[in-house]
Amino acid sequence: MATLLLLTNALQPSAEVLPGLALLSHQVRILPAVGGALLEAPDSDLLLVDGRQDLAQARDLCRLIRTTGTEVPVLLVVTEGGLAVVSHDWGMDDVVLHTCGPAELEARIKLAIGRLAARLEAADPEAHVIRSGEVVVDDATYTAKVGKRPLDLTFKEFELLKFLAQHPGRVFSRQQLLQEVWGYDYFGGTRTVDVHVRRLRAKLGPDNETLIGTVRNVGYRFVVPTKEKDAKEASAAAPAETS
């Protein structure tokens, strides 16, 4: 599940701007399609710019987004008529018809986010390594360890640990975990998640099984180790140095 920011001036819910979006599980936030809105825009994984009504304004907004230095992917939403005039120098990463179905939209979102992740990984050799406390997950070699102890994980156990460790502290329902780890084409029940969590905790061992926390009646989360959490909070609370 990604966090999407929709820039639009339409007085409509996001499902009216891009109907296929209503059938996906992404978190969507809406801001006016003006440059000033970008100053206070929350962090997001991808930007959607509504170009259905005013394509010239959408073009200028895409170009403005690129001048801010952000690397977040930009998808321009257009009508079929607008599709005929878009150009590569507008600054967007991809174009999507407002009538596209959820499968196509999901594919374009994943591809755009994936391309950015690949660029960042190429620039940073450690980008594929996830560290949280003593847990280290290497996405390139498909290995995981606690401290110096390697974990003998199945593919799905590895994917589950990786996904949770990538979002420390964030709670995911069983259905969300099924979609993110097993995929939309998996037809098994949510009981599968409970079984894999139980096996993963057993392999983490008694000293680390609490890293996979249960939120009653909701789902699971990766618990940030106390020392690491305290260090982050202390860093955030420390006053900025002045020259």
Side-chain angles (χ1 to χ4, degrees):
M1 181 177 66
T3 299
L4 312 180
L5 185 60
L6 173 61
L7 302 176
T8 178
N9 291 324
L11 300 177
Q12 302 169 312
S14 60
E16 295 298 324
V17 178
L18 199 56
L21 200 56
L23 300 176
L24 302 178
S25 61
H26 302 298
Q27 181 180 11
V28 182
R29 298 175 180 175
I30 301 177
L31 285 179
V34 294
L38 298 174
L39 298 175
E40 298 182 357
D43 292 338
S44 60
D45 299 309
L46 181 139
L47 297 176
L48 291 160
V49 177
D50 183 6
R52 298 171 306 148
Q53 303 296 329
D54 193 336
L55 196 55
Q57 182 191 30
R59 174 201 62 199
D60 294 341
L61 184 56
C62 288
R63 288 174 172 170
L64 178 61
I65 291 171
R66 286 301 170 229
T67 66
T68 65
T70 181
E71 294 184 306
V72 174
V74 177
L75 263 62
L76 176 60
V77 182
V78 297
T79 62
E80 191 164 353
L83 190 62
V85 299
V86 293
S87 174
H88 71 279
D89 62 353
W90 288 17
M92 70 285 183
D93 294 271
D94 201 355
V95 180
V96 60
L97 283 173
H98 71 106
T99 55
C100 76
E104 178 185 348
L105 181 58
E106 177 69 9
R108 291 181 182 273
I109 290 172
K110 284 190 173 182
L111 286 171
I113 294 175
R115 284 193 294 267
L116 173 60
R119 289 200 303 270
L120 295 177
E121 183 174 328
D124 180 7
E126 285 288 303
H128 57 82
V129 178
I130 304 163
R131 303 177 188 275
S132 192
E134 291 191 332
V135 175
V136 179
V137 178
D138 190 328
D139 194 24
T141 61
Y142 277 85
T143 58
K145 60 183 179 180
V146 177
K148 296 182 178 180
R149 178 171 63 89
L151 297 175
D152 182 16
L153 305 179
T154 65
F155 177 74
K156 287 304 181 184
E157 289 167 356
F158 175 85
E159 289 292 312
L160 179 59
L161 177 61
K162 181 186 75 172
F163 182 76
L164 290 173
Q166 283 176 319
H167 307 87
R170 185 170 170 181
V171 180
F172 293 94
S173 69
R174 292 167 175 81
Q175 188 61 45
Q176 287 174 325
L177 290 172
L178 274 179
Q179 292 175 352
E180 295 293 341
V181 178
W182 279 263
Y184 285 90
D185 57 348
Y186 181 76
F187 295 102
T190 55
R191 178 64 178 167
T192 298
V193 177
D194 297 328
V195 171
H196 280 74
V197 166
R198 184 168 66 249
R199 292 174 180 170
L200 186 54
R201 283 172 171 163
K203 292 181 179 181
L204 286 169
D207 294 335
N208 296 285
E209 62 181 6
T210 55
L211 290 174
I212 310 298
T214 300
V215 180
R216 188 180 298 275
N217 297 325
V218 181
Y220 299 101
R221 65 174 178 172
F222 189 88
V223 179
V224 180
T226 303
K227 291 182 180 179
E228 182 177 338
K229 183 178 180 181
D230 291 344
K232 288 183 178 180
E233 291 177 349
S235 177
E241 293 184 3
T242 57
S243 54

